[in-house]
Amino acid sequence: MRTCLLALVSCVIGLAWLVLYGSATKAADAPPQGVEVLTRGPVHEAFAQVADVNPAPTPVIPRQPPNAIEELPPDQQPQGDNIQWIPGYWAWDQDQSDFVWVSGIWRAPPPDRQWLPGHWQQVAGGWQWVQGLWMPLGQTQVPIVPPPPPPLNAAPSTPAPDATSTYVPGCWVYQDTRYLWRPGFWIADQPGWVWIPAHYFWTPSGCIFVEGFWDYPVETRGLLFAPVRIDRRLLTQVNWRFQPHFVVRAENLLATLFVGPAGRHYYFGDYFGPAYQKRGYVFWMDRRIDRHSPDPLFSYYRHRPDGERWERNIRDLHAAWHTGQGPLPPRTLTQQNQVLQNYRREPAVNKTVINNMTVVHPLPRVESPAVKLGAVTKEQQMQAHQSTEWYRQVQQQRQAHEAQFVGKGPTPVERSAAVRTLQVPQAPHPARVAVKAPPPPTLPKHVEKPH
């Protein structure tokens, strides 16, 4: 009887969500009252994430983040059998000393991977963001190991096999009760695929190791929606919901991509100038995993047939913006609309400048040869709703797990060699169609190294 009642309640909630969803999909090409669309800010972690072999705690924020908002997925999505909705989260805006909402995304997940969402964790002195990550599909137990030693900055032991091969840096791998060193190796270029090298994520209870995997290029990963600043009064309104509508253009994302302070997050937009350099923002083309390994996305794009010309054009544009020789990208949708209106009034319209100033597009206008849109069916709406509920459940479980290890003086993981396990419920919607990615590379044998 209880099971039937719970099923009935779930069904009623789902139907109500569909009705609300349908009424919200009539969004015009203007944001709702009280919502400011930003054309700069953090990139959703599930869309693009910095690979780091030297994990460290994230900054402690002195304010508690608001509760997660109810976010409805847009009524259109990229065509494909494996497109998933991944909800948004609050992120700290250092410039404004306030939180912004990182909008949810439509994402083609990397083959044989599922998203483990991040969460905010209360710690001594404030709140810390514990990052999300792409874990193996179907995994329900996530090992959390002691922090690895500092990586060895070892040079490649052999020359590159060819001009398009990429050097994958070495890393520490925990086995039994100790760390062994996996030497770096060369990996052949695979058109249409980005190799994400093995990396670590810090948590209050230890570190999570993510093995290397193949991912899609930015333009075929899905749709990255713009972050927004939300009037706090809306957060207290009953039944208020938000639906993303403005998509960050892939071309503009790559032209203005930065790795933020402490190297833990990608940012896009106007972070140009000496002030941001001093605060630790690094242009993604200049960022290195170690001395010998550039950013994985850069490794992919520079090996395309037009890679040299593409890199030169972006570096020239970046240099002009950094030195103030060209108009900087707008920071909000309002500024973008005003800038474009002013440029279009000029007798000779500079299409290149207009293209550089157009950071976001309304959803219906994002179709391209690489992105074809389709209407979201009722079944897909229900699946997105169920996935959102699953993500919230996982966040709560991660918070409860990490709460056991915070507020106890020195970081406990520094005093323990124990491997802890995070239990994760089975994901509700596995990939519908198996995607055939290139085979993973043959990994070098682990060796003993002093540390």
Side-chain angles (χ1 to χ4, degrees):
M1 180 67 179
R2 182 180 179 184
T3 302
C4 294
L5 181 60
L6 290 174
L8 178 61
V9 170
S10 178
C11 182
V12 171
I13 293 174
L15 290 174
W17 188 85
L18 284 178
V19 172
L20 292 168
Y21 178 93
S23 65
T25 57
K26 301 176 182 178
D29 290 347
Q33 189 73 24
V35 175
E36 183 180 31
V37 177
L38 305 177
T39 52
R40 74 192 287 266
V43 176
H44 196 297
E45 288 182 326
F47 193 84
Q49 195 167 42
V50 176
D52 201 333
V53 295
N54 191 23
T58 53
V60 176
I61 305 303
R63 288 175 52 185
Q64 179 177 353
N67 293 329
I69 65 175
E70 185 161 353
E71 185 181 44
L72 304 179
D75 58 347
Q76 290 180 293
Q77 68 173 36
Q79 294 180 2
D81 293 318
N82 293 330
I83 301 300
Q84 297 180 6
W85 173 252
I86 301 179
Y89 55 91
W90 292 106
W92 181 250
D93 183 346
Q94 190 176 12
D95 282 347
Q96 300 295 324
S97 296
D98 200 359
F99 289 95
V100 297
W101 180 257
V102 180
S103 300
I105 60 172
W106 286 118
R107 181 66 150 94
D112 300 321
R113 294 274 157 173
Q114 67 187 36
W115 181 247
L116 181 71
H119 66 96
W120 284 97
Q121 189 72 46
Q122 188 173 13
V123 297
W127 295 76
Q128 269 180 311
W129 177 249
V130 182
Q131 293 175 282
L133 55 100
W134 285 107
M135 66 181 188
L137 185 65
Q139 183 176 359
T140 57
Q141 295 185 336
V142 181
I144 302 179
V145 299
L152 304 178
N153 204 357
S157 59
T158 60
D162 52 61
T164 62
S165 290
T166 296
Y167 184 70
V168 178
C171 65
W172 293 103
V173 179
Y174 195 81
Q175 291 191 343
D176 298 327
T177 59
R178 70 194 192 284
Y179 271 102
L180 299 178
W181 179 252
R182 177 192 294 171
F185 58 94
W186 293 97
I187 187 170
D189 177 59
Q190 298 286 346
W193 293 97
V194 179
W195 178 253
I196 307 299
H199 52 282
Y200 283 91
F201 291 99
W202 171 91
T203 79
S205 61
C207 292
I208 299 176
F209 175 73
V210 178
E211 188 57 271
F213 59 90
W214 290 107
D215 201 351
Y216 302 100
V218 165
E219 59 273 13
T220 57
R221 289 187 179 184
L223 295 181
L224 174 66
F225 289 92
V228 294
R229 184 170 290 111
I230 301 174
D231 190 320
R232 289 299 181 100
R233 290 171 293 186
L234 293 178
L235 304 181
T236 60
Q237 290 186 10
V238 179
N239 296 328
W240 184 82
R241 292 160 182 84
F242 169 68
Q243 185 180 51
H245 185 64
F246 291 89
V247 180
V248 181
R249 298 173 62 247
E251 302 92 327
N252 199 283
L253 174 68
L254 294 175
T256 64
L257 194 62
F258 289 84
V259 175
R264 303 290 180 258
H265 215 117
Y266 282 121
Y267 292 79
F268 77 98
D270 179 12
Y271 291 91
F272 296 95
Y276 285 106
Q277 280 188 326
K278 291 179 181 179
R279 286 166 54 181
Y281 288 87
V282 179
F283 189 47
W284 70 293
M285 288 185 175
D286 298 330
R287 186 249 172 180
R288 294 289 183 270
I289 301 176
D290 63 9
R291 286 188 303 172
H292 318 284
S293 306
D295 184 280
L297 286 173
F298 182 46
S299 294
Y300 168 79
Y301 283 102
R302 69 173 179 170
H303 289 152
R304 297 187 307 178
D306 63 340
E308 290 186 10
R309 179 176 59 85
W310 167 84
E311 179 184 353
R312 183 171 59 253
N313 289 342
I314 289 188
R315 286 194 180 278
D316 289 345
L317 181 62
H318 179 272
W321 278 336
H322 181 70
T323 57
Q325 297 177 11
L328 291 170
R331 296 190 169 195
T332 67
L333 177 63
T334 301
Q335 291 180 7
Q336 173 180 299
N337 292 339
Q338 186 60 56
V339 167
L340 296 180
Q341 186 177 6
N342 293 339
Y343 275 115
R344 291 187 178 116
R345 288 173 179 168
E346 297 182 359
V349 178
N350 189 323
K351 293 183 178 180
T352 299
V353 174
I354 288 180
N355 188 58
N356 292 335
M357 295 296 105
T358 307
V359 183
V360 300
H361 277 314
L363 177 58
R365 304 182 197 173
V366 302
E367 280 205 310
S368 68
V371 179
K372 299 296 183 183
L373 297 179
V376 178
T377 66
K378 290 186 177 181
E379 178 187 1
Q380 291 168 332
Q381 295 168 13
M382 286 296 296
Q383 288 182 353
H385 172 62
Q386 292 169 1
S387 294
T388 298
E389 293 300 313
W390 181 83
Y391 287 125
R392 299 291 179 244
Q393 181 185 355
V394 172
Q395 287 177 319
Q396 292 173 2
Q397 290 188 219
R398 291 193 74 184
Q399 286 176 331
H401 174 87
E402 303 298 349
Q404 306 172 67
F405 307 102
V406 298
K408 299 178 182 179
T411 307
V413 292
E414 294 178 353
R415 297 183 276 105
S416 171
V419 176
R420 302 182 172 98
T421 302
L422 170 67
Q423 301 290 335
V424 179
Q426 188 71 40
H429 301 296
R432 296 182 183 178
V433 177
V435 178
K436 189 175 181 180
T442 301
L443 301 177
K445 292 183 178 180
H446 301 148
V447 295
E448 294 274 6
K449 288 283 187 180
H451 57 78

